Amino acid sequence: GLGILDETLRPAGMATLEIWRGTPLAEVIERSLRVSPGRAVTVVNAFAPPGMWKREAPPELQRLVDGTPGASLTGVNVISQRLRAMVRRDATVAMSLGLLLVVAILIARLRSLRDALLCLFPVAMAVLWTLGLMAALGMALNPLNVFMVLMIMGIGSDYGIYMVSRMREGHTIEELAETARSVVVAAGPTCKLC
């Protein structure tokens, strides 16, 4: 396994192409080796056992490659792992900026921190429930569900604004209940899409 790979990456003596010429491995080596003056680049394919290391590279292999000057590791699982890390980082930034922008606009428009926070209460609950449900189901953040959370923030704040605006206009409980029913009816199809 990895011991043979380690020996391959760190040969005891000078390895030349001549030792392989005329052997059955010569064709394989020529496909995986690029030689230029003063430099040779080779590709070593490593295959994980079935069902293992689907989402990331084996840590031992990563350490081996990290400790080998000039070596690099790539593959679908390595690229996917890096993309997931980028999505996680970018999602945090996008959600934070989006929330700050929405709060700033609400405070500027409503001229009340209390009313702005009231508008965002349904959003906070929806985002917490969504992220909590995702965690309970073992779902990781990906570009699609990050977009969904951002949509919940945008659409949910609209519904909060409708309710707070009606309250500020001094409507009765019955009128507020009518607005709440309208909000629920409008939010239903939107929730189905998310």
Side-chain angles (χ1 to χ4, degrees):
L2 291 177
I4 294 171
L5 180 61
D6 189 37
E7 289 175 24
T8 304
L9 292 174
R10 303 170 207 230
M14 178 68 105
T16 66
L17 285 176
E18 298 309 316
I19 63 174
W20 301 108
R21 295 230 189 267
T23 69
L25 289 177
E27 183 182 332
V28 174
I29 290 172
E30 287 174 4
R31 274 194 316 230
S32 301
L33 186 65
R34 298 290 177 258
V35 179
S36 59
R39 184 169 189 233
V41 177
T42 188
V43 174
V44 176
N45 294 311
F47 298 95
M52 293 184 65
W53 307 112
K54 290 183 178 182
R55 296 180 54 86
E56 60 189 14
E60 300 88 8
L61 180 58
Q62 184 67 56
R63 282 193 295 274
L64 177 65
V65 170
D66 290 344
T68 305
S72 60
L73 183 62
T74 189
V76 173
N77 53 359
V78 174
I79 293 169
S80 295
Q81 182 180 13
R82 289 182 185 151
L83 285 174
R84 282 191 304 277
M86 288 170 51
V87 165
R88 198 172 297 118
R89 184 191 67 231
D90 292 349
T92 303
V93 170
M95 285 185 206
S96 300
L97 286 175
L99 182 62
L100 285 174
L101 188 60
V102 167
V103 169
I105 290 170
L106 285 174
I107 290 173
R109 175 71 176 99
L110 299 173
R111 300 185 198 286
S112 165
L113 177 63
R114 181 185 145 274
D115 287 349
L117 293 178
L118 265 175
C119 287
L120 293 176
F121 181 76
V123 174
M125 291 296 102
V127 169
L128 284 175
W129 271 94
T130 301
L131 294 176
L133 196 58
M134 284 174 55
L137 295 174
M139 295 174 63
L141 284 178
N142 62 44
L144 185 60
N145 55 31
V146 166
F147 177 74
M148 181 191 67
V149 170
L150 292 173
M151 289 286 293
I152 289 171
M153 287 173 55
I155 294 169
S157 61
D158 288 349
Y159 298 139
I161 291 168
Y162 300 147
M163 292 304 298
V164 169
S165 295
R166 294 292 274 186
M167 284 178 8
R168 291 176 81 176
E169 291 169 0
H171 290 281
T172 65
I173 295 294
E174 292 80 21
E175 292 169 324
L176 287 175
E178 183 62 34
T179 301
R181 280 191 291 277
S182 298
V183 164
V184 169
V185 168
T190 304
C191 291
K192 276 187 160 182
L193 290 175
C194 291

